[in-house]
Amino acid sequence: MVKAVRGTLVKCDASIKAMLVDIDSSLRNEFIIEELDEEHVLVKETKIAELKQRLQTMLKERLKEPDTSDSET
Amino acid sequence: MSASSSQALEYLELLPRQTHTKLYEQPSTVLAIFRCMLPHLAKSLVMAMLYMPSSLSAQDLDTWFRPTARSDKDKSISILEQLHIVVLKQDASRQNSYELSKGFARALRQALEGSGSHRSFGVPSSETDPDKVTVAFLDEFAQGQWENILFYMVGSTVGLSSSNALGRDVGEGTKALLRLGEFVKSTHARVSITRAGFTFVLQETSAQVWSLLIVYLKHADQLGMSETDVLSFLFMLGSLELGQDYTISTLSATQLQMLEDLYAFGIIYRSNEKAKTFYPTRLAVTLTSDAGMLSTSSTLRNKAISNEVSHRSAPNTGFIIVETNYRLYAYTDSLLQISILSLFTKLTTRFPNLVSGKLTKESITRAVKLGISSAQILSYLTSHAHPQMQKNNPYLPPTVMDQIRLWEYEGERVETTNGFLMKDFPSDAEYRDLAAYAESLGVLIWRNDARRMCFVDRVDQISSYLKKKSQK
């Protein structure tokens, strides 16, 4: 029988997906319902905002922002 | 079909059958829906079936289409079914056939033939109004009311003026409505704009009017109004004539209650609260068409200038120049335009008729965080490009366009869609059939043939399709 699962489809690069999986596994798998392929995961609809928030924090920690000060303003 | 009416269509599709049936009693409503909500192919189908004596069998319908156009046909039929305009019937021998819903067909015929005594197209006032107003006055009024609303939303966020001076011209009811629609939120008596609000402000005027009215409709029940009455009144407004005064004696209680709110939006004008007549403004008569909208690039001038005879710039005159070095010049003295620009530009200098500034990474990412997309910024800049810029193709320098998109992409690394994952298909054929159907409806977002899964953003029609198949 065909099943329909409610959720939010997240499309991202493979690198971002790795981070999402990382966040999910460190927090008792609360976010991800199913990993679909290299670039897609299915996430619980209620949790998507929190997941995005955590991804932002993680990106900020891991990536050094290049210096963006404009010489001329 | 335009962007503005597609919003209204989405709202209409979600209404239950009873509401549709009641709505279709009014010829003006039916004509408005037919005229501007339906895609062209659906219109042709309705027209073909309107005077058909018996129902049209599904096989006959299929012969009207080339095999390659199946997806177009499915889309049109599905819209018509959602709106309960077309009904699918099954006779004793299990033959499917389509038929127009009776109420809709009757009302549309009345609208086309001018028959019946329904008075649904409004009744012009029989007495001549001693203080008859001109079309120019109505335009001025509508524009003033509407820009006040926009400025109320944008101005406080940018911090251009103190917040109490801002909301002065906007009624309490309108403010409450903006909050209900989550276009603004107020914290500590300060109003700030939300993500939905930005999308709202950057839209065309006709789309803005519909967005606000849809919020109004959704909360009509709480205000003790009948949703059907509200909708029929709006559709009726769309068929009125600008500059003509209409009597209020044929309106229902709900519709009388609406007059005050619509006055606040600038959609209708009344000379005073006890007046027996009302005038539709340009915002009203363009609800169901896109012709001759108020120009969005017009002016919310400073008080000093507004007292002069208003010389309105011709519609579609742009005023923004963007250079390849990301500098931006805008020939405007409108506070509304300046505040919109300052949402995503680092403005540095203001002259009497010119502001200048620069698009920086900081200013763009700030805008993206507030919920404006790069596409919205670019479409705003493009649609308001200075005539000098319009000589280029594309209007904006490509480097700037690319950079704005890249800046947005840096901030936003994931793309999300709410919906349903369909899985566990018993056979490959069934999977392929459903995926193809979903694709033809335009709801398919993602598919993986190897794992026999697909993702759709709307499921109601898919499930009714599956049910129909399992009955066979």
Side-chain angles (χ1 to χ4, degrees):
Chain A
M1 189 52 207
V2 183
K3 260 204 247 169
V5 186
R6 194 188 184 93
T8 302
L9 183 77
V10 177
K11 180 179 187 293
C12 54
D13 330 331
S15 61
I16 299 290
K17 191 203 149 195
M19 286 193 210
L20 293 179
V21 173
D22 203 16
I23 294 172
D24 184 55
S25 58
S26 68
L27 287 159
R28 304 186 309 279
N29 303 324
E30 270 194 340
F31 300 97
I32 294 180
I33 303 172
E34 191 161 348
E35 290 175 40
L36 301 174
D37 63 13
E38 284 297 293
E39 295 187 339
H40 292 86
V41 278
L42 188 69
V43 176
K44 288 176 195 165
E45 224 172 62
T46 46
K47 292 282 185 182
I48 185 71
E50 190 188 342
L51 184 65
K52 269 192 185 170
Q53 188 66 43
R54 287 187 187 276
L55 177 69
Q56 287 298 339
T57 346
M58 189 178 261
L59 278 173
K60 238 178 234 163
E61 281 166 17
R62 294 197 180 173
L63 298 176
K64 277 272 180 281
E65 281 279 306
D67 205 13
T68 51
S69 62
D70 278 313
S71 49
E72 44 130 32
T73 40
Chain B
M1 192 172 46
S2 69
S4 52
S5 43
S6 73
Q7 283 184 68
L9 177 65
E10 261 171 44
Y11 172 79
L12 274 178
E13 280 183 343
L14 296 175
L15 293 175
R17 175 195 292 267
Q18 294 92 315
T19 316
H20 281 140
T21 315
K22 265 200 94 189
L23 269 178
Y24 296 159
E25 284 168 10
Q26 293 292 339
S28 58
T29 312
V30 168
L31 188 65
I33 291 177
F34 175 78
R35 234 176 23 170
C36 64
M37 301 290 154
L38 298 180
H40 292 315
L41 186 61
K43 282 183 201 165
S44 314
L45 288 175
V46 171
M47 268 301 145
M49 292 163 79
L50 186 58
Y51 288 99
M52 214 173 256
S54 59
S55 53
L56 173 68
S57 83
Q59 284 156 353
D60 286 350
L61 183 67
D62 282 336
T63 58
W64 291 5
F65 292 89
R66 291 173 205 273
T68 46
R70 186 187 157 199
S71 81
D72 293 329
K73 184 205 106 185
D74 283 348
K75 233 183 261 173
S76 302
I77 291 286
S78 105
I79 288 176
L80 290 173
E81 276 189 293
Q82 285 246 296
L83 293 174
H84 300 109
I85 293 175
V86 159
V87 193
L88 181 66
K89 286 168 116 188
Q90 216 169 37
D91 61 14
S93 52
R94 297 222 148 194
Q95 291 295 317
N96 286 334
S97 63
Y98 292 101
E99 196 178 52
L100 278 187
S101 108
K102 295 227 160 49
F104 187 90
R106 191 187 323 115
L108 185 56
R109 279 187 217 138
Q110 280 186 349
L112 291 179
E113 297 160 358
S115 57
S117 56
H118 43 76
R119 300 187 143 198
S120 78
F121 288 99
V123 180
S125 168
S126 47
E127 300 152 33
T128 37
D129 190 347
D131 323 306
K132 200 164 168 60
V133 296
T134 62
V135 172
F137 174 84
L138 287 175
D139 277 354
E140 190 102 354
F141 167 77
Q143 194 145 26
Q145 293 293 86
W146 196 253
E147 293 202 340
N148 276 335
I149 296 179
L150 293 184
F151 192 55
Y152 167 72
M153 295 171 66
V154 180
S156 53
T157 312
V158 195
L160 258 183
S161 6
S162 60
S163 44
N164 19 349
L166 270 175
R168 212 177 34 208
D169 303 325
V170 181
E172 281 307 317
T174 315
K175 286 183 195 167
L177 194 63
L178 289 171
R179 276 198 295 276
L180 282 173
E182 296 180 345
F183 293 136
V184 296
K185 57 173 184 270
S186 43
T187 37
H188 312 298
R190 234 190 93 89
V191 179
S192 62
I193 196 164
T194 62
R195 178 181 284 250
F198 278 121
T199 323
F200 180 85
V201 170
L202 296 182
Q203 280 168 337
E204 279 175 63
T205 316
S206 56
Q208 288 170 349
V209 176
W210 268 116
S211 309
L212 193 65
L213 287 176
I214 285 169
V215 180
Y216 187 72
L217 280 166
K218 282 185 182 153
H219 296 90
D221 279 346
Q222 295 167 21
L223 300 168
M225 302 200 231
S226 128
E227 199 178 12
T228 330
D229 266 7
V230 177
L231 258 178
S232 348
F233 190 48
L234 293 179
F235 282 127
M236 181 193 103
L237 282 176
S239 61
L240 300 185
E241 199 184 318
L242 190 63
Q244 172 68 47
D245 48 343
Y246 290 87
T247 171
I248 61 169
S249 60
T250 54
L251 302 183
S252 71
T254 296
Q255 295 170 343
L256 289 175
Q257 199 184 339
M258 282 174 71
L259 288 176
E260 196 181 324
D261 296 316
L262 294 179
Y263 175 83
F265 302 154
I267 293 176
I268 59 161
Y269 172 79
R270 303 176 76 194
S271 46
N272 62 57
E273 279 184 18
K274 292 195 186 67
K276 289 204 168 52
T277 58
F278 68 90
Y279 294 85
T281 69
R282 204 174 286 277
L283 290 178
V285 298
T286 46
L287 273 176
T288 56
S289 76
D290 293 318
M293 279 312 295
L294 286 174
S295 75
T296 43
S297 62
S298 57
T299 45
L300 184 84
R301 286 169 192 281
N302 297 331
K303 282 278 179 282
I305 304 172
S306 70
N307 291 339
E308 296 171 16
V309 185
S310 84
H311 46 91
R312 192 167 307 152
S313 49
N316 300 326
T317 312
F319 58 93
I320 298 175
I321 292 182
V322 182
E323 290 180 344
T324 45
N325 58 7
Y326 304 102
R327 284 186 186 284
L328 181 146
Y329 306 92
Y331 290 93
T332 179
D333 55 12
S334 143
L335 284 178
L336 178 64
Q337 299 297 351
I338 296 175
S339 17
I340 291 178
L341 276 175
S342 69
L343 294 173
F344 54 82
T345 320
K346 186 177 174 189
L347 292 176
T348 44
T349 330
R350 179 171 175 197
F351 302 104
N353 69 339
L354 170 79
V355 285
S356 79
K358 197 174 178 190
L359 297 163
T360 64
K361 180 179 177 187
E362 201 189 334
S363 71
I364 297 288
T365 42
R366 189 187 61 214
V368 168
K369 260 191 204 137
L370 285 166
I372 313 181
S373 72
S374 64
Q376 284 174 330
I377 296 176
L378 291 176
S379 91
Y380 181 83
L381 290 176
T382 311
S383 60
H384 294 101
H386 193 275
Q388 204 64 33
M389 299 266 295
Q390 293 181 12
K391 287 178 187 159
N392 308 336
N393 185 26
Y395 295 171
L396 301 174
T399 48
V400 176
M401 288 166 55
D402 288 344
Q403 187 61 65
I404 290 179
R405 286 199 199 98
L406 285 173
W407 280 331
E408 180 198 32
Y409 184 66
E410 265 177 49
E412 206 41 63
R413 300 296 288 268
V414 294
E415 198 178 298
T416 58
T417 324
N418 290 343
F420 296 84
L421 179 75
M422 312 293 298
K423 60 177 188 176
D424 299 346
F425 287 93
S427 72
D428 196 50
E430 227 160 284
Y431 161 75
R432 280 180 194 284
D433 180 56
L434 189 81
Y437 181 68
E439 194 154 23
S440 74
L441 287 182
V443 298
L444 186 77
I445 306 295
W446 169 86
R447 64 189 286 178
N448 186 330
D449 295 349
R451 297 182 63 186
R452 277 191 209 155
M453 286 179 178
C454 60
F455 189 87
V456 293
D457 62 357
R458 281 170 75 173
V459 84
D460 30 351
Q461 275 174 286
I462 303 272
S463 57
S464 68
Y465 179 74
L466 284 172
K467 238 177 254 160
K468 237 184 268 168
K469 276 190 70 173
S470 61
Q471 279 167 5
K472 271 183 195 166

